[in-house]
């Protein structure tokens, strides 16, 4: 992993207003991302895990300003992303890219593979046909696609091949950070391994950093240098990978790991969570996890915990360690 801070996010929030009635009266706000702070170093892979609906994908889109943040700071390579003009943001996005979960949704079925990949190059001012053809061929080779695929259409490819096309598009402008939003969850297990190995090869060769969003802890363990756990719009635990899987601290993290026998720390039993995830429109007072927590205390329903560091580099938001 290369040293040096690349991305620094502080107290990032993304709220959505909920309205009802003929006059669109505001009923409340959905707190999809509720005060998230994290950082990513150059060449680092930060895994972001949590249940569906916890805000992982929204966080990734807010960092790229595909969703406009409600509040907070985003600093990328020394640049204040939140206050960039549209034209400056467009230029910066060449260095911050995203790979989506479903490659079908990000590929225009009317465009050939070559045209889809070169689109990003054209948008950023490369118009020479010879240069475009050369760069697209190089990108296709980098992700394991044959050059004669250039004139084919998305429907002619398998899911894994489509995701390789999506990765090639993301790599077109030599980015420094890729936000990978569940990039293998829609693929067969055997194909997942191929795509993950490809992403790691590119990381090792080009020094790329990833924010790897996933609900699959096994995948996160394979890829990540550090792991962050998100629950109801907040980061509740963050640690280096080895420390995270060896010594989970937050009760929610304990429950997630206990559900997978191969990842369960030695001597720990399966923890079954009860109840449903609370609504982000009306989160519970105090700790948002207290309604499902197997280690709940009276203070948990009254006071929101602050983030502490019980061990160097290991952060947790829980009254057990306050």
């Amino acid at each position: 992993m290369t040293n040096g801070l690349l991305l620094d996010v502080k107290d990032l929030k993304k709220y959505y207003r909920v309205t009802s009635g003929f006059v669109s009266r505001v009923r409340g706000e959905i707190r999809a991302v509720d005060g998230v702070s994290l950082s990513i170093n150059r060449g680092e892979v930060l895994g972001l895990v949590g249940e569906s609906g916890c805000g992982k994908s929204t966080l990734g889109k807010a960092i790229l300003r595909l969703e406009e943040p409600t509040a907070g700071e985003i600093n990328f390579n020394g640049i204040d992303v939140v206050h960039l003009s549209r034209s400056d943001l467009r230029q910066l996005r060449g260095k911050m890219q995203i790979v989506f979960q479903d490659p079908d949704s990000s590929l225009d079925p009317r465009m050939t593979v070559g045209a889809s990949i070169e689109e990003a190059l054209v948008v950023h001012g490369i118009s020479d046909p010879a240069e475009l053809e050369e760069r697209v061929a190089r990108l296709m080779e980098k992700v394991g696609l044959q050059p004669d695929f250039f004139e084919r259409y998305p429907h002619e490819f398998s899911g894994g091949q489509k995701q390789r096309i999506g990765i090639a598009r993301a790599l077109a402008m030599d980015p420094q950070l890729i936000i990978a939003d569940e990039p293998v969850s829609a693929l067969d297990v055997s194909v997942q391994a191929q795509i993950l190995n490809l992403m790691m090869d590119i990381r090792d060769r080009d020094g790329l950093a990833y924010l790897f969003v996933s609900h699959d802890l096994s995948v996160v363990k394979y890829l990540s240098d550090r792991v962050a756990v998100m629950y109801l719009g907040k980061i509740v635990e963050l640690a280096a990978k080895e420390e995270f899987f060896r010594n989970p601290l937050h009760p929610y993290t304990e429950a997630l790991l206990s559900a997978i026998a191969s990842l369960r720390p030695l001597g720990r039993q399966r923890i079954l969570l009860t109840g449903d995830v609370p609504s982000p429109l009306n989160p519970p007072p105090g700790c948002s996890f207290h309604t499902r927590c197997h280690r709940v205390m009276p203070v948990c329903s009254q006071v929101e915990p602050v983030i502490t560091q019980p061990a160097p580099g290991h952060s947790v938001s829980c009254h057990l360690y306050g």
Side-chain angles (χ1 to χ4, degrees):
M1 182 174 64
T2 308
N3 292 325
L5 184 64
L6 178 65
L7 177 72
D8 190 25
V9 175
K10 294 181 180 177
D11 199 26
L12 188 64
K13 298 177 181 179
K14 177 58 184 178
Y15 295 170
Y16 297 95
R17 285 186 176 182
V18 177
T19 60
S20 64
F22 180 72
V23 294
S24 297
R25 182 170 57 88
V26 176
R27 290 178 48 218
E29 291 179 317
I30 293 177
R31 301 180 179 186
V33 178
D34 195 15
V36 167
S37 297
L38 57 82
S39 62
I40 300 177
N41 292 321
R42 301 178 192 278
E44 180 184 29
V45 180
L46 175 63
L48 181 63
V49 301
E51 292 171 285
S52 297
C54 71
K56 306 186 300 297
S57 296
T58 304
L59 173 61
K61 292 175 182 176
I63 290 172
L64 295 176
R65 276 186 59 189
L66 296 175
E67 295 277 0
E68 287 294 339
T70 303
E73 301 177 20
I74 306 168
N75 191 291
F76 176 76
N77 210 13
I79 299 171
D80 179 1
V81 176
V82 171
H83 297 103
L84 280 182
S85 66
R86 283 292 175 184
S87 58
D88 290 339
L89 179 62
R90 187 178 185 180
Q91 293 300 315
L92 181 66
R93 280 195 178 138
K95 300 302 177 184
M96 302 169 66
Q97 287 289 308
I98 187 167
V99 175
F100 293 100
Q101 175 181 0
D102 181 8
D104 282 318
S105 66
S106 60
L107 296 175
D108 189 333
R110 300 165 298 180
M111 296 176 66
T112 65
V113 168
S116 292
I117 296 174
E118 72 180 19
E119 184 179 28
L121 300 170
V122 173
V123 166
H124 287 277
I126 300 173
S127 57
D128 179 67
E131 183 180 359
L132 282 171
E133 185 175 351
E134 179 187 351
R135 292 187 63 162
V136 171
R138 199 160 60 238
L139 285 165
M140 292 177 69
E141 181 182 3
K142 180 180 284 191
V143 300
L145 294 172
Q146 299 175 23
D148 60 1
F149 289 174
F150 191 95
E151 297 295 335
R152 296 188 183 181
Y153 289 86
H155 72 270
E156 301 179 63
F157 295 92
S158 67
Q161 288 173 323
K162 290 176 185 177
Q163 197 59 287
R164 289 175 187 268
I165 297 167
I167 294 171
R169 293 183 68 192
L171 295 174
M173 295 305 299
D174 299 319
Q176 295 171 295
L177 171 69
I178 287 182
I179 294 177
D181 186 7
E182 302 266 13
V184 297
S185 63
L187 306 176
D188 293 338
V189 174
S190 60
V191 180
Q192 286 184 16
Q194 296 172 17
I195 298 299
L196 293 174
N197 287 332
L198 170 65
M199 295 180 70
M200 293 309 293
D201 288 345
I202 293 169
R203 173 259 182 106
D204 294 339
R205 181 172 61 239
D206 298 343
L208 266 177
Y210 291 107
L211 175 61
F212 193 91
V213 178
S214 180
H215 65 274
D216 189 331
L217 284 162
S218 299
V219 170
V220 167
K221 185 176 184 180
Y222 175 72
L223 280 177
S224 302
D225 299 300
R226 290 186 298 144
V227 183
V229 179
M230 198 166 181
Y231 185 81
L232 213 63
K234 301 176 184 289
I235 299 293
V236 297
E237 185 162 4
L238 194 155
K241 176 175 66 176
E242 293 78 8
E243 168 72 6
F244 177 86
F245 286 98
R246 181 184 61 83
N247 184 35
L249 298 180
H250 198 280
Y252 179 55
T253 308
E254 291 180 324
L256 290 179
L257 292 178
S258 77
I260 306 172
S262 62
L263 299 180
R264 191 182 307 153
L266 291 175
R268 303 207 185 186
Q269 301 297 315
R270 173 75 190 274
I271 299 168
L272 296 176
L273 294 178
T274 58
D276 297 322
V277 180
S279 169
L281 179 61
N282 186 29
C287 173
S288 58
F289 185 61
H290 84 263
T291 59
R292 306 172 73 198
C293 184
H294 58 285
R295 301 173 70 181
V296 65
M297 303 179 293
V299 68
C300 300
S301 62
Q302 302 166 16
V303 180
E304 183 176 354
V306 297
I307 295 177
T308 59
Q309 280 204 354
H314 195 156
S315 303
V316 64
S317 175
C318 181
H319 287 299
L320 291 169
Y321 310 96

